[in-house]
Amino acid sequence: MVRAGDRIHVIGIAGSGAAGVALLADRAGARVDGCDLDAPSPYTPPLDAAQIPVLHGHDPAHLSGVDRVAITPALRAVPDLPELQAAQTSGMPVITWQALLGELMSRPGHIGLAVTGTHGKSTTTALFGHLLVAAGMDPTVEVGAFMADWGATVRPGGGAPFLVEADEFGDNFLNYHPAAAIVTNVEMDHPDFFADRAAVLASFERFVRGMGEDPHVGGRLLLAPAQDSGASALVERLHDWPGRILRYGPGGEITAADVRLEQGRTRFKLFDLEFETPLAGEHNVLNATAALVLARTLGAPLKALVDGLRGFRGAGRRMELIADTAGVIVFDDYGHHPTEVRAALAAARQHVGERRLWAVFEPHMYSRTRLFLDEFSRSFTDADEVVIADIFASRDTEEAMRATSAAELADVIERASGIPAIATGDHDATAAYVADHLREGDAVLVMGAGKSYRIAQELAQSLADGVLTRPRSFDPAGAS
């Protein structure tokens, strides 16, 4: 358990999750520092502001005076890291940042809350946290995306609610024992960890069975979507679970009514009230429904929820507006699974109406691309043009990297949908290709979980530099 005065060293502190948990541990009274080869990063400025030392690189000397070490789970794949070896050899406790977060959540006075699921975790966690803030509950929130309103991926709070985004990859969410949890959906993903859908379901079942309890939510409470087949399979496994299960969405015990997907906003009715959100897409109506129901269960006033939902600006890299200039709109999104791609493109189409819509996609991992090749081929139907950047290998083995290619993905998309699709190479080449072919009035949705945000940033810079008014190798005005 985290105690005031604990000396905690975080290896890999420049990552989004590790940086956020370092901030929360510091707020809890621990003495925190860390190191990273990638420091500084977009997530280290809040650490600097909190005067948490961030050292570049790795060195056993960093361990002097340290009580225990927290690591990012990716370091398990680097067992010969000298600093990590030194900690283990000395007998110093080494835990993941997720385990540290679980300790913080379980401290006395907290109501443990979590959002999990294959898709939509970050948006739903951020939205739920935003609603609790609007309701005056002063929650502590950890989310896997940068939040502009908080200036970080976390929000330290003084109230009882302690909300985390619970990620299933690597069984990381087994470190958390919330009293109430939202499941957004359950699908096969992460083929480098889960062997099949049954393994995914077993992991989610272990998470639910490991939940804690709290009288504020009536003991244990699980919210699951009524029409998601994976969530239904999970509920079937929980027939003897001693908690309450509430199904939400169409066909469930509580659902939004009179849903209107309009350009620039989405409106629906819930609790006999009219709600409005700038978020687009039917999937976000489901996400909002779950967050509103659980916030209401915790006692949030209805007026605060109405106002809070209207004012939610979204999470970083979740349909994030990057540029709206020179007559072109550019969005950046974290979507990397076929279901996420379909949902993101449908939401983008709601936002942009009849504009020509470019889908620029950086596939995340060869293993995932190979597994879902057929599903990906049918996921881009809301786009007018599809551009596939090089696949981001991430944790893939050399064998997995021989399984498919960006060119194969582009080919199956074009053959299945008839939508023009092309593989364009690395980030720079992809951004250059799109910039060369854009015309005024276009909209661009960049998607991916790797470094695809760089493509969006380069496009924004090209537009700011006047690319549409300069001679280009391709003349979009003359295209049919």
Side-chain angles (χ1 to χ4, degrees):
M1 185 64 67
V2 177
R3 296 182 300 272
D6 273 358
R7 178 85 159 73
I8 301 174
H9 179 65
V10 183
I11 304 178
I13 197 170
S16 62
V21 172
L23 286 167
L24 295 181
D26 175 75
R27 175 68 176 266
R31 294 182 297 142
V32 183
D33 67 9
C35 62
D36 204 304
L37 284 172
D38 292 330
S41 78
Y43 307 104
T44 53
L47 299 175
D48 298 335
Q51 298 184 330
I52 296 174
V54 177
L55 306 168
H56 180 77
H58 300 298
D59 190 325
H62 296 163
L63 303 175
S64 177
V66 168
D67 295 314
R68 54 184 179 147
V69 168
I71 65 170
T72 183
L75 290 180
R76 291 170 174 160
V78 194
D80 57 347
L81 189 71
E83 186 175 6
L84 183 55
Q85 282 185 329
Q88 293 167 333
T89 300
S90 70
M92 187 178 295
V94 177
I95 62 172
T96 63
W97 66 256
Q98 289 91 343
L100 184 60
L101 181 59
E103 291 182 16
L104 292 165
M105 173 195 273
S106 64
R107 297 181 92 201
H110 287 153
I111 304 170
L113 307 166
V115 176
T116 189
T118 311
H119 324 294
K121 293 185 291 292
S122 294
T123 295
T124 308
T125 306
L127 172 57
F128 185 20
H130 176 84
L131 292 173
L132 295 178
V133 172
M137 294 184 175
D138 194 17
T140 296
V141 188
E142 180 275 334
V143 63
F146 184 84
M147 297 298 298
D149 288 347
W150 309 340
T153 59
V154 296
R155 181 194 186 275
F162 195 114
L163 170 63
V164 304
E165 177 179 338
D167 182 16
E168 78 278 17
F169 175 71
D171 285 340
N172 287 323
F173 59 2
L174 300 185
N175 290 289
Y176 315 135
H177 307 285
I182 294 169
V183 174
T184 58
N185 40 60
V186 181
E187 279 194 76
M188 174 60 191
D189 197 8
H190 306 297
D192 56 321
F193 181 78
F194 293 115
D196 50 30
R197 181 175 182 267
V200 174
L201 284 167
S203 182
F204 275 89
E205 181 183 358
R206 288 195 296 275
F207 168 73
V208 175
R209 291 190 182 278
M211 287 174 62
E213 56 184 327
D214 192 286
H216 292 89
V217 296
R220 299 178 179 90
L221 174 61
L222 180 70
L223 280 72
Q227 289 193 341
D228 182 77
S229 61
S232 295
L234 172 64
V235 169
E236 289 177 10
R237 286 169 167 257
L238 297 170
H239 60 90
D240 60 343
W241 181 61
R244 182 164 67 101
I245 299 175
L246 176 65
R247 306 301 297 273
Y248 65 89
E253 298 164 62
I254 186 163
T255 186
D258 193 19
V259 177
R260 285 146 290 166
L261 303 176
E262 302 170 358
Q263 192 167 347
R265 67 179 178 179
T266 298
R267 294 190 290 169
F268 59 88
K269 290 182 179 178
L270 190 68
F271 309 130
D272 295 322
L273 292 174
E274 180 86 11
F275 285 87
E276 179 182 316
T277 173
L279 300 179
E282 294 180 356
H283 62 294
N284 276 321
V285 175
L286 284 174
N287 294 339
T289 298
L292 289 165
V293 168
L294 190 46
R296 184 64 177 153
T297 300
L298 291 167
L302 284 172
K303 183 180 186 307
L305 296 180
V306 171
D307 294 341
L309 184 64
R310 185 184 298 112
F312 180 62
R313 296 190 295 166
R317 299 208 63 211
R318 273 66 180 178
M319 199 58 64
E320 181 178 3
L321 180 63
I322 301 299
D324 186 357
T325 185
V328 175
I329 301 175
V330 179
F331 295 101
D332 182 31
D333 193 84
Y334 196 71
H336 54 284
H337 183 284
T339 300
E340 295 166 354
V341 169
R342 283 194 297 272
L345 279 167
R349 181 56 73 191
Q350 180 185 337
H351 273 302
V352 306
E354 296 302 313
R355 288 173 181 253
R356 184 171 67 152
L357 177 58
W358 292 76
V360 182
F361 182 52
E362 178 194 54
H364 190 262
M365 302 189 66
Y366 290 81
S367 53
R368 179 185 281 113
T369 306
R370 176 73 264 172
L371 177 67
F372 295 125
L373 199 62
D374 184 58
E375 291 184 51
F376 273 127
S377 73
R378 301 187 301 273
S379 295
F380 291 81
T381 52
D382 272 308
D384 298 300
E385 304 277 350
V386 176
V387 175
I388 306 296
D390 287 343
I391 297 173
F392 187 84
S394 187
R395 304 175 297 271
D396 273 322
T397 64
E398 290 187 12
E399 181 180 358
M401 292 171 67
R402 293 191 291 269
T404 188
S405 66
E408 182 180 14
L409 177 57
D411 181 59
V412 299
I413 291 169
E414 187 161 328
R415 283 192 285 112
S417 65
I419 299 169
I422 185 171
T424 47
D426 64 16
H427 302 125
D428 291 341
T430 299
Y433 175 86
V434 177
D436 207 35
H437 290 72
L438 281 177
R439 62 177 180 247
E440 187 174 344
D442 284 356
V444 183
L445 173 60
V446 180
M447 294 174 286
K451 305 294 185 182
S452 57
Y453 62 88
R454 294 178 180 172
I455 300 172
Q457 291 171 349
E458 289 183 32
L459 284 173
Q461 188 60 55
S462 293
L463 290 166
D465 291 342
V467 67
L468 298 188
T469 61
R470 297 198 307 260
R472 290 179 279 171
S473 58
F474 174 81
D475 180 11
S480 59

PDB file of all heavy atoms in Angstrom, residues 178-205:
ATOM      1  N   PRO A 178     -12.634  -2.515  -8.402  1.00  0.00           N
ATOM      2  CA  PRO A 178     -13.671  -1.492  -8.235  1.00  0.00           C
ATOM      3  C   PRO A 178     -14.967  -2.099  -7.708  1.00  0.00           C
ATOM      4  O   PRO A 178     -15.244  -3.289  -7.889  1.00  0.00           O
ATOM      5  CB  PRO A 178     -13.856  -0.963  -9.657  1.00  0.00           C
ATOM      6  CG  PRO A 178     -13.553  -2.156 -10.517  1.00  0.00           C
ATOM      7  CD  PRO A 178     -12.421  -2.857  -9.815  1.00  0.00           C
ATOM      8  N   ALA A 179     -15.772  -1.257  -7.087  1.00  0.00           N
ATOM      9  CA  ALA A 179     -17.096  -1.692  -6.655  1.00  0.00           C
ATOM     10  C   ALA A 179     -18.109  -1.618  -7.789  1.00  0.00           C
ATOM     11  O   ALA A 179     -19.081  -2.373  -7.823  1.00  0.00           O
ATOM     12  CB  ALA A 179     -17.571  -0.851  -5.478  1.00  0.00           C
ATOM     13  N   ALA A 180     -17.873  -0.710  -8.727  1.00  0.00           N
ATOM     14  CA  ALA A 180     -18.758  -0.562  -9.879  1.00  0.00           C
ATOM     15  C   ALA A 180     -17.914  -0.439 -11.135  1.00  0.00           C
ATOM     16  O   ALA A 180     -16.862   0.208 -11.125  1.00  0.00           O
ATOM     17  CB  ALA A 180     -19.660   0.656  -9.725  1.00  0.00           C
ATOM     18  N   ALA A 181     -18.381  -1.072 -12.203  1.00  0.00           N
ATOM     19  CA  ALA A 181     -17.627  -1.035 -13.458  1.00  0.00           C
ATOM     20  C   ALA A 181     -18.576  -0.979 -14.640  1.00  0.00           C
ATOM     21  O   ALA A 181     -19.673  -1.556 -14.606  1.00  0.00           O
ATOM     22  CB  ALA A 181     -16.720  -2.259 -13.579  1.00  0.00           C
ATOM     23  N   ILE A 182     -18.137  -0.271 -15.665  1.00  0.00           N
ATOM     24  CA  ILE A 182     -18.820  -0.242 -16.957  1.00  0.00           C
ATOM     25  C   ILE A 182     -18.032  -1.112 -17.923  1.00  0.00           C
ATOM     26  O   ILE A 182     -16.811  -0.966 -18.042  1.00  0.00           O
ATOM     27  CB  ILE A 182     -18.903   1.184 -17.520  1.00  0.00           C
ATOM     28  CG1 ILE A 182     -19.788   2.076 -16.637  1.00  0.00           C
ATOM     29  CG2 ILE A 182     -19.429   1.182 -18.961  1.00  0.00           C
ATOM     30  CD1 ILE A 182     -19.702   3.556 -16.990  1.00  0.00           C
ATOM     31  N   VAL A 183     -18.702  -2.025 -18.606  1.00  0.00           N
ATOM     32  CA  VAL A 183     -18.117  -2.768 -19.729  1.00  0.00           C
ATOM     33  C   VAL A 183     -18.709  -2.175 -20.998  1.00  0.00           C
ATOM     34  O   VAL A 183     -19.933  -2.173 -21.172  1.00  0.00           O
ATOM     35  CB  VAL A 183     -18.430  -4.271 -19.640  1.00  0.00           C
ATOM     36  CG1 VAL A 183     -17.947  -4.992 -20.897  1.00  0.00           C
ATOM     37  CG2 VAL A 183     -17.772  -4.890 -18.410  1.00  0.00           C
ATOM     38  N   THR A 184     -17.878  -1.653 -21.878  1.00  0.00           N
ATOM     39  CA  THR A 184     -18.391  -1.037 -23.100  1.00  0.00           C
ATOM     40  C   THR A 184     -18.700  -2.071 -24.179  1.00  0.00           C
ATOM     41  O   THR A 184     -19.620  -1.882 -24.977  1.00  0.00           O
ATOM     42  CB  THR A 184     -17.378  -0.018 -23.658  1.00  0.00           C
ATOM     43  OG1 THR A 184     -16.130  -0.693 -23.896  1.00  0.00           O
ATOM     44  CG2 THR A 184     -17.161   1.127 -22.675  1.00  0.00           C
ATOM     45  N   ASN A 185     -17.937  -3.147 -24.233  1.00  0.00           N
ATOM     46  CA  ASN A 185     -18.090  -4.216 -25.229  1.00  0.00           C
ATOM     47  C   ASN A 185     -16.988  -5.247 -24.962  1.00  0.00           C
ATOM     48  O   ASN A 185     -16.039  -4.955 -24.229  1.00  0.00           O
ATOM     49  CB  ASN A 185     -17.980  -3.683 -26.672  1.00  0.00           C
ATOM     50  CG  ASN A 185     -16.895  -2.639 -26.806  1.00  0.00           C
ATOM     51  OD1 ASN A 185     -15.724  -2.902 -26.546  1.00  0.00           O
ATOM     52  ND2 ASN A 185     -17.270  -1.425 -27.180  1.00  0.00           N
ATOM     53  N   VAL A 186     -17.119  -6.412 -25.559  1.00  0.00           N
ATOM     54  CA  VAL A 186     -16.095  -7.451 -25.418  1.00  0.00           C
ATOM     55  C   VAL A 186     -15.914  -8.120 -26.776  1.00  0.00           C
ATOM     56  O   VAL A 186     -16.853  -8.716 -27.308  1.00  0.00           O
ATOM     57  CB  VAL A 186     -16.476  -8.512 -24.365  1.00  0.00           C
ATOM     58  CG1 VAL A 186     -15.372  -9.560 -24.250  1.00  0.00           C
ATOM     59  CG2 VAL A 186     -16.748  -7.873 -23.008  1.00  0.00           C
ATOM     60  N   GLU A 187     -14.709  -7.993 -27.338  1.00  0.00           N
ATOM     61  CA  GLU A 187     -14.381  -8.619 -28.624  1.00  0.00           C
ATOM     62  C   GLU A 187     -12.986  -9.203 -28.565  1.00  0.00           C
ATOM     63  O   GLU A 187     -12.189  -8.856 -27.692  1.00  0.00           O
ATOM     64  CB  GLU A 187     -14.416  -7.581 -29.754  1.00  0.00           C
ATOM     65  CG  GLU A 187     -15.780  -7.259 -30.302  1.00  0.00           C
ATOM     66  CD  GLU A 187     -15.669  -6.508 -31.626  1.00  0.00           C
ATOM     67  OE1 GLU A 187     -15.370  -7.166 -32.654  1.00  0.00           O
ATOM     68  OE2 GLU A 187     -15.861  -5.281 -31.637  1.00  0.00           O
ATOM     69  N   MET A 188     -12.677 -10.044 -29.514  1.00  0.00           N
ATOM     70  CA  MET A 188     -11.320 -10.538 -29.665  1.00  0.00           C
ATOM     71  C   MET A 188     -10.409  -9.394 -30.101  1.00  0.00           C
ATOM     72  O   MET A 188     -10.735  -8.624 -30.998  1.00  0.00           O
ATOM     73  CB  MET A 188     -11.278 -11.661 -30.705  1.00  0.00           C
ATOM     74  CG  MET A 188      -9.864 -12.150 -31.047  1.00  0.00           C
ATOM     75  SD  MET A 188      -8.981 -12.800 -29.606  1.00  0.00           S
ATOM     76  CE  MET A 188      -7.309 -12.947 -30.272  1.00  0.00           C
ATOM     77  N   ASP A 189      -9.288  -9.262 -29.428  1.00  0.00           N
ATOM     78  CA  ASP A 189      -8.250  -8.308 -29.797  1.00  0.00           C
ATOM     79  C   ASP A 189      -6.966  -8.756 -29.121  1.00  0.00           C
ATOM     80  O   ASP A 189      -6.943  -9.724 -28.370  1.00  0.00           O
ATOM     81  CB  ASP A 189      -8.636  -6.893 -29.379  1.00  0.00           C
ATOM     82  CG  ASP A 189      -7.806  -5.811 -30.090  1.00  0.00           C
ATOM     83  OD1 ASP A 189      -7.041  -6.173 -31.015  1.00  0.00           O
ATOM     84  OD2 ASP A 189      -7.919  -4.628 -29.727  1.00  0.00           O
ATOM     85  N   HIS A 190      -5.880  -8.056 -29.392  1.00  0.00           N
ATOM     86  CA  HIS A 190      -4.563  -8.357 -28.823  1.00  0.00           C
ATOM     87  C   HIS A 190      -4.165  -9.824 -29.062  1.00  0.00           C
ATOM     88  O   HIS A 190      -3.905 -10.575 -28.113  1.00  0.00           O
ATOM     89  CB  HIS A 190      -4.544  -8.040 -27.325  1.00  0.00           C
ATOM     90  CG  HIS A 190      -4.970  -6.656 -26.979  1.00  0.00           C
ATOM     91  ND1 HIS A 190      -4.264  -5.545 -27.396  1.00  0.00           N
ATOM     92  CD2 HIS A 190      -6.035  -6.191 -26.268  1.00  0.00           C
ATOM     93  CE1 HIS A 190      -4.872  -4.457 -26.940  1.00  0.00           C
ATOM     94  NE2 HIS A 190      -5.941  -4.818 -26.274  1.00  0.00           N
ATOM     95  N   PRO A 191      -4.084 -10.234 -30.326  1.00  0.00           N
ATOM     96  CA  PRO A 191      -3.738 -11.632 -30.608  1.00  0.00           C
ATOM     97  C   PRO A 191      -2.337 -12.014 -30.152  1.00  0.00           C
ATOM     98  O   PRO A 191      -2.022 -13.206 -30.099  1.00  0.00           O
ATOM     99  CB  PRO A 191      -3.873 -11.721 -32.133  1.00  0.00           C
ATOM    100  CG  PRO A 191      -3.701 -10.313 -32.620  1.00  0.00           C
ATOM    101  CD  PRO A 191      -4.315  -9.462 -31.559  1.00  0.00           C
ATOM    102  N   ASP A 192      -1.502 -11.033 -29.822  1.00  0.00           N
ATOM    103  CA  ASP A 192      -0.181 -11.347 -29.288  1.00  0.00           C
ATOM    104  C   ASP A 192      -0.249 -11.731 -27.813  1.00  0.00           C
ATOM    105  O   ASP A 192       0.757 -12.182 -27.243  1.00  0.00           O
ATOM    106  CB  ASP A 192       0.772 -10.165 -29.474  1.00  0.00           C
ATOM    107  CG  ASP A 192       0.252  -8.874 -28.863  1.00  0.00           C
ATOM    108  OD1 ASP A 192      -0.965  -8.628 -28.964  1.00  0.00           O
ATOM    109  OD2 ASP A 192       1.051  -8.115 -28.298  1.00  0.00           O
ATOM    110  N   PHE A 193      -1.424 -11.583 -27.187  1.00  0.00           N
ATOM    111  CA  PHE A 193      -1.573 -11.996 -25.788  1.00  0.00           C
ATOM    112  C   PHE A 193      -2.701 -13.008 -25.617  1.00  0.00           C
ATOM    113  O   PHE A 193      -2.531 -14.028 -24.940  1.00  0.00           O
ATOM    114  CB  PHE A 193      -1.836 -10.781 -24.890  1.00  0.00           C
ATOM    115  CG  PHE A 193      -1.967 -11.135 -23.433  1.00  0.00           C
ATOM    116  CD1 PHE A 193      -0.836 -11.395 -22.672  1.00  0.00           C
ATOM    117  CD2 PHE A 193      -3.218 -11.242 -22.832  1.00  0.00           C
ATOM    118  CE1 PHE A 193      -0.947 -11.746 -21.333  1.00  0.00           C
ATOM    119  CE2 PHE A 193      -3.342 -11.586 -21.494  1.00  0.00           C
ATOM    120  CZ  PHE A 193      -2.194 -11.845 -20.742  1.00  0.00           C
ATOM    121  N   PHE A 194      -3.874 -12.728 -26.226  1.00  0.00           N
ATOM    122  CA  PHE A 194      -5.011 -13.631 -26.084  1.00  0.00           C
ATOM    123  C   PHE A 194      -5.030 -14.631 -27.246  1.00  0.00           C
ATOM    124  O   PHE A 194      -4.968 -14.233 -28.410  1.00  0.00           O
ATOM    125  CB  PHE A 194      -6.320 -12.854 -26.064  1.00  0.00           C
ATOM    126  CG  PHE A 194      -6.485 -11.975 -24.854  1.00  0.00           C
ATOM    127  CD1 PHE A 194      -6.537 -10.592 -24.983  1.00  0.00           C
ATOM    128  CD2 PHE A 194      -6.593 -12.531 -23.594  1.00  0.00           C
ATOM    129  CE1 PHE A 194      -6.701  -9.777 -23.866  1.00  0.00           C
ATOM    130  CE2 PHE A 194      -6.755 -11.715 -22.462  1.00  0.00           C
ATOM    131  CZ  PHE A 194      -6.802 -10.343 -22.601  1.00  0.00           C
ATOM    132  N   ALA A 195      -5.159 -15.905 -26.914  1.00  0.00           N
ATOM    133  CA  ALA A 195      -5.152 -16.939 -27.956  1.00  0.00           C
ATOM    134  C   ALA A 195      -6.414 -16.887 -28.805  1.00  0.00           C
ATOM    135  O   ALA A 195      -6.372 -17.149 -30.009  1.00  0.00           O
ATOM    136  CB  ALA A 195      -5.009 -18.318 -27.311  1.00  0.00           C
ATOM    137  N   ASP A 196      -7.539 -16.566 -28.184  1.00  0.00           N
ATOM    138  CA  ASP A 196      -8.816 -16.564 -28.900  1.00  0.00           C
ATOM    139  C   ASP A 196      -9.858 -15.812 -28.071  1.00  0.00           C
ATOM    140  O   ASP A 196      -9.570 -15.288 -26.989  1.00  0.00           O
ATOM    141  CB  ASP A 196      -9.286 -18.001 -29.188  1.00  0.00           C
ATOM    142  CG  ASP A 196      -9.258 -18.889 -27.948  1.00  0.00           C
ATOM    143  OD1 ASP A 196      -9.442 -18.361 -26.817  1.00  0.00           O
ATOM    144  OD2 ASP A 196      -9.048 -20.100 -28.087  1.00  0.00           O
ATOM    145  N   ARG A 197     -11.084 -15.788 -28.588  1.00  0.00           N
ATOM    146  CA  ARG A 197     -12.175 -15.065 -27.918  1.00  0.00           C
ATOM    147  C   ARG A 197     -12.446 -15.642 -26.535  1.00  0.00           C
ATOM    148  O   ARG A 197     -12.743 -14.903 -25.587  1.00  0.00           O
ATOM    149  CB  ARG A 197     -13.436 -15.126 -28.787  1.00  0.00           C
ATOM    150  CG  ARG A 197     -14.646 -14.381 -28.225  1.00  0.00           C
ATOM    151  CD  ARG A 197     -15.779 -14.410 -29.245  1.00  0.00           C
ATOM    152  NE  ARG A 197     -16.962 -13.673 -28.808  1.00  0.00           N
ATOM    153  CZ  ARG A 197     -17.984 -14.233 -28.162  1.00  0.00           C
ATOM    154  NH1 ARG A 197     -17.953 -15.533 -27.885  1.00  0.00           N
ATOM    155  NH2 ARG A 197     -19.040 -13.506 -27.827  1.00  0.00           N
ATOM    156  N   ALA A 198     -12.350 -16.948 -26.391  1.00  0.00           N
ATOM    157  CA  ALA A 198     -12.596 -17.571 -25.090  1.00  0.00           C
ATOM    158  C   ALA A 198     -11.612 -17.065 -24.044  1.00  0.00           C
ATOM    159  O   ALA A 198     -11.978 -16.855 -22.880  1.00  0.00           O
ATOM    160  CB  ALA A 198     -12.510 -19.097 -25.206  1.00  0.00           C
ATOM    161  N   ALA A 199     -10.362 -16.846 -24.453  1.00  0.00           N
ATOM    162  CA  ALA A 199      -9.357 -16.330 -23.525  1.00  0.00           C
ATOM    163  C   ALA A 199      -9.693 -14.901 -23.114  1.00  0.00           C
ATOM    164  O   ALA A 199      -9.494 -14.504 -21.952  1.00  0.00           O
ATOM    165  CB  ALA A 199      -7.968 -16.386 -24.157  1.00  0.00           C
ATOM    166  N   VAL A 200     -10.215 -14.108 -24.052  1.00  0.00           N
ATOM    167  CA  VAL A 200     -10.632 -12.745 -23.739  1.00  0.00           C
ATOM    168  C   VAL A 200     -11.766 -12.773 -22.721  1.00  0.00           C
ATOM    169  O   VAL A 200     -11.745 -12.062 -21.700  1.00  0.00           O
ATOM    170  CB  VAL A 200     -11.069 -12.000 -25.014  1.00  0.00           C
ATOM    171  CG1 VAL A 200     -11.639 -10.631 -24.667  1.00  0.00           C
ATOM    172  CG2 VAL A 200      -9.899 -11.846 -25.977  1.00  0.00           C
ATOM    173  N   LEU A 201     -12.772 -13.607 -22.963  1.00  0.00           N
ATOM    174  CA  LEU A 201     -13.903 -13.697 -22.047  1.00  0.00           C
ATOM    175  C   LEU A 201     -13.473 -14.164 -20.661  1.00  0.00           C
ATOM    176  O   LEU A 201     -13.958 -13.655 -19.640  1.00  0.00           O
ATOM    177  CB  LEU A 201     -14.955 -14.655 -22.616  1.00  0.00           C
ATOM    178  CG  LEU A 201     -15.809 -14.103 -23.767  1.00  0.00           C
ATOM    179  CD1 LEU A 201     -16.572 -15.232 -24.447  1.00  0.00           C
ATOM    180  CD2 LEU A 201     -16.785 -13.048 -23.244  1.00  0.00           C
ATOM    181  N   ALA A 202     -12.549 -15.114 -20.610  1.00  0.00           N
ATOM    182  CA  ALA A 202     -12.067 -15.609 -19.320  1.00  0.00           C
ATOM    183  C   ALA A 202     -11.377 -14.500 -18.542  1.00  0.00           C
ATOM    184  O   ALA A 202     -11.518 -14.398 -17.312  1.00  0.00           O
ATOM    185  CB  ALA A 202     -11.122 -16.789 -19.534  1.00  0.00           C
ATOM    186  N   SER A 203     -10.632 -13.651 -19.241  1.00  0.00           N
ATOM    187  CA  SER A 203      -9.947 -12.540 -18.589  1.00  0.00           C
ATOM    188  C   SER A 203     -10.946 -11.539 -18.029  1.00  0.00           C
ATOM    189  O   SER A 203     -10.829 -11.090 -16.873  1.00  0.00           O
ATOM    190  CB  SER A 203      -8.998 -11.861 -19.583  1.00  0.00           C
ATOM    191  OG  SER A 203      -8.284 -10.815 -18.959  1.00  0.00           O
ATOM    192  N   PHE A 204     -11.960 -11.183 -18.818  1.00  0.00           N
ATOM    193  CA  PHE A 204     -12.978 -10.263 -18.330  1.00  0.00           C
ATOM    194  C   PHE A 204     -13.746 -10.858 -17.146  1.00  0.00           C
ATOM    195  O   PHE A 204     -14.095 -10.144 -16.198  1.00  0.00           O
ATOM    196  CB  PHE A 204     -13.949  -9.890 -19.459  1.00  0.00           C
ATOM    197  CG  PHE A 204     -13.479  -8.750 -20.314  1.00  0.00           C
ATOM    198  CD1 PHE A 204     -12.693  -8.978 -21.443  1.00  0.00           C
ATOM    199  CD2 PHE A 204     -13.818  -7.455 -20.002  1.00  0.00           C
ATOM    200  CE1 PHE A 204     -12.250  -7.934 -22.233  1.00  0.00           C
ATOM    201  CE2 PHE A 204     -13.385  -6.393 -20.788  1.00  0.00           C
ATOM    202  CZ  PHE A 204     -12.598  -6.635 -21.910  1.00  0.00           C
ATOM    203  N   GLU A 205     -13.997 -12.155 -17.194  1.00  0.00           N
ATOM    204  CA  GLU A 205     -14.690 -12.794 -16.079  1.00  0.00           C
ATOM    205  C   GLU A 205     -13.856 -12.702 -14.800  1.00  0.00           C
ATOM    206  O   GLU A 205     -14.387 -12.398 -13.720  1.00  0.00           O
ATOM    207  CB  GLU A 205     -14.989 -14.258 -16.402  1.00  0.00           C
ATOM    208  CG  GLU A 205     -15.725 -14.962 -15.272  1.00  0.00           C
ATOM    209  CD  GLU A 205     -15.966 -16.436 -15.542  1.00  0.00           C
ATOM    210  OE1 GLU A 205     -15.602 -16.919 -16.637  1.00  0.00           O
ATOM    211  OE2 GLU A 205     -16.499 -17.115 -14.637  1.00  0.00           O
TER     212      GLU A 205
END
